[in-house]
DNA sequence: AATGAATGAGGTTTCATTCAT
DNA sequence: CATGAATGAAACCTCATTCAT
């Protein structure tokens, strides 16, 4: 399995750094190879082409991202706590890895439509996790039962994504994780039974 | 003033069409020139460079976009109606111009960070309009007075933006404007005093 | 018409020289451009791609080659004179242009099958000219009437081609045109009624 | 002696198949190694480099080719029969091995000048055999005594080569061996005393 | 003797921009 | 004002060959 070989991971890490530092368009394969400490050609033993590095990077990092969030949520009892945990973990993981934040919020969006569709696929489990929380809230009669699920999901994801992007664009000058309770309150308010 | 000359507008319109039809990366200056019915070199009599076409396009279209929304809002009395109008107009204008929707939601985001910063500048008056509504709601004690303004603004804009992007990605198969009341309810709920 | 513009011809001439001097595989587009005194990109205003330079080169040169032979033949009365003229002109034209001889006999054959098929198409009028002479000889009862036309054509072309290739491979150290009468005698003998 | 080891022959056979099936330029060393059932590196225990595979292939196959022709000729008495046998055997051996025919007539000619010179060396014994027959014919006063030996040799080889190449290019749709008597008649006629 | 992972040089083509007309 | 022919920099990927195991 190529994904477990050390060079696979080396190249992914190098790609995150190079893209964060140079921007998407100035991130030549040769630059990534140099940072990873391998020959240019070696890249192509592990990845089909340049786009495949980016998709794999996103799969790898997003996989961990989602796994950590899911694990944390599973330790919480109430729907409200679960949502707070999701928001906190979403913010915390990107706050802890500035390079990754730049890559996911800014640089990877400069890719073409095909790559974007692949990225959307990777995001599906995360969106499903959001759906689970919403549905649980509805079942427990904490949230209103007239909620339009896709709409609520898009609101939650859109809000988190916009907040992180703003934070990155403002060069990460403030504490992103501290925003979590405020965002949590807004969302809980929006969804709750009066 | 160059902006009022017919060729300026011709080129902008051609750019919207070409980018919507071919995608950002396949939209060469020569293609835009051809669609606009001018020579390649003529483009550079009206725009400093390719990026300037895109920024101008966004300024021009976003200017109209914001103006229409502001005009409509000014005819409304209540904060709730103003917010609903903003949401409806945001959705309606993009729903009525599929090409523009594709360009703003998908293609223009493939640009580099510099262009993105310029685009953000153009968006400022729109975000200010959102702020005005929020503040009005707080002053009228319809909205809670502990709201974090930037956070709420990012929630509103992020939600609208994500919903439109989803609609474009799903090839605009459903009625976007019909989503407005549901979104309005969610937001009003989230911001209201209990 | 691009084919009549001076740069078109410049590039063709440069390609012949560069390929003859460096060999097919060492003839980069940039080398041809430099020799032609144009920018690399200019090549692509006149030719679709590198292969197109080669096909055009062959069409251009072979067109002239065949035209000169046809013109010369038309001034001759007897079949025997026509055949001698064809052989002499075939040899003379390549003998007078060593670069072209190297390119057609050696370098252009290193191309892939697709290019070879295109080259074969260009050769068709020449082979048709050979056929005409053979048929005339048969009609005038100078040649036997049991001749297998394709076979005879292949014998004549194969013989001339092999002789020229040998001359090129031996670095053109002897007088190719002087071989013409001997070759002519062999062929006439082979085809004549006893 | 490496040439007698089984892997040497395996690799040669694999090369013929791979080149015939994929064409010269798509025949990577790794593909040949895979078809031969050995590791890439193993190739270099038996051959100095890629070109050496091709030269060795040609030597091996041409050696057998010439040996069979020589053996068959030696069983014939008359010059005319010997020539007919040479033509028939030349055609038959390639007709019986389509892969080899493709490789020798088409694919191997896409190689560079150096390889072509080496291939010419391998052909020398065959050309010498042709010379022998011609000289015998002259001595027996069946052929004219004013023949230019190299010219006649080039005529015979060029004719046979062109006929086989045409047959391969036309995808071997007709019976090549049936062409032999016609070709034989043409050549005998061309060389005979009147 | 055999393996196969790793190497790294090298070239075609695109396209934003210029400037002589 | 307008044209459009010409420019030339820049990068992804392949594949013959090596060498540690």
């Amino acid at each position: 399995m190529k994904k477990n070989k050390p060079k696979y991971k080396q190249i992914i890490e190098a790609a995150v750094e190079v893209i964060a530092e140079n921007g998407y368009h100035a991130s030549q394969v040769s630059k990534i190879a140099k940072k990873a400490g391998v020959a240019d050609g070696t890249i192509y033993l592990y990845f089909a082409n340049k786009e495949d590095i980016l998709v794999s990077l996103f799969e790898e990092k997003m996989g961990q991202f989602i796994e950590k969030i899911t694990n944390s949520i599973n330790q919480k009892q109430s729907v409200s706590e679960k949502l707070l945990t999701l928001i906190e973990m979403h913010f915390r993981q990107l706050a802890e890895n500035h390079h990754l934040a730049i890559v996911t919020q800014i640089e990877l969006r400069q890719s073409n439509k095909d790559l974007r569709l692949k990225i959307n696929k990777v995001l599906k489990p995360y969106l499903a996790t959001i759906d689970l929380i919403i549905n649980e809230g509805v079942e427990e009669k904490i949230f209103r039962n007239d909620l339009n699920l896709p709409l609520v999901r898009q609101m939650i994801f859109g809000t988190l994504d916009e907040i992180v992007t703003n934070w990155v664009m403002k060069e990460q000058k403030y504490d992103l994780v501290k925003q979590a309770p405020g965002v949590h309150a807004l969302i809980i308010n929006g969804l709750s039974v009066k």
Side-chain angles (χ1 to χ4, degrees), chain A:
Chain A
M1 189 62 180
K2 277 187 175 168
K3 301 205 172 188
N4 297 319
K5 292 197 180 172
K7 290 206 173 151
Y8 179 88
K9 289 178 194 294
Q10 262 174 58
I11 294 166
I12 296 266
E13 295 308 321
V16 174
E17 282 186 60
V18 169
I19 295 173
E21 284 166 9
N22 301 279
Y24 178 80
H25 283 114
S27 294
Q28 299 87 339
V29 171
S30 60
K31 231 178 230 168
I32 296 173
K34 198 170 183 184
K35 176 80 92 176
V38 300
D40 292 17
T42 304
I43 300 267
Y44 293 88
L45 297 176
Y46 294 91
F47 302 91
N49 48 43
K50 191 182 177 182
E51 186 182 298
D52 189 33
I53 307 178
L54 302 174
V55 175
S56 302
L57 178 165
F58 199 75
E59 280 173 354
E60 196 80 3
K61 293 298 181 183
M62 222 6 91
Q64 297 166 13
F65 181 91
I66 295 168
E67 202 187 333
K68 282 190 187 169
I69 292 181
T70 312
N71 287 345
S72 299
I73 287 174
N74 287 343
Q75 294 164 14
K76 303 295 172 183
Q77 296 299 324
S78 74
V79 166
S80 175
E81 276 179 316
K82 286 182 181 179
L83 184 61
L84 179 59
T85 304
L86 180 134
I87 297 167
E88 274 183 350
M89 291 295 294
H90 186 135
F91 289 175
R92 174 166 297 127
Q93 291 192 69
L94 292 169
E96 281 174 352
N97 191 341
H98 286 208
H99 279 171
L100 185 61
I102 293 170
V103 171
T104 61
Q105 301 305 121
I106 309 286
E107 304 300 345
L108 234 47
R109 315 221 169 173
Q110 296 177 40
S111 53
N112 61 39
K113 209 176 176 183
D114 275 356
L115 180 50
R116 295 273 289 287
L117 286 170
K118 286 181 188 166
I119 284 178
N120 278 353
K121 233 182 227 170
V122 178
L123 275 179
K124 279 211 167 155
Y126 186 47
L127 301 176
T129 299
I130 295 177
D131 283 1
L132 275 179
I133 295 177
I134 301 167
N135 280 330
E136 205 177 319
V138 173
E139 278 164 27
E140 295 184 6
K141 306 203 173 166
I142 297 164
F143 294 161
R144 284 178 288 128
N145 63 4
D146 64 346
L147 294 177
N148 179 332
L149 184 60
L151 223 52
V152 173
R153 180 209 309 138
Q154 288 168 53
M155 179 192 74
I156 295 175
F157 183 79
T159 299
L160 301 187
D161 193 58
E162 179 71 15
I163 288 169
V164 178
T165 297
N166 266 281
W167 171 76
V168 172
M169 291 295 249
K170 273 162 192 150
E171 289 171 331
Q172 317 172 327
K173 279 180 183 147
Y174 49 88
D175 188 335
L176 181 60
V177 182
K178 277 195 183 159
Q179 312 287 326
V183 180
H184 176 252
L186 278 174
I187 294 173
I188 287 288
N189 247 296
L191 306 181
S192 294
V193 177
K194 286 293 144 81

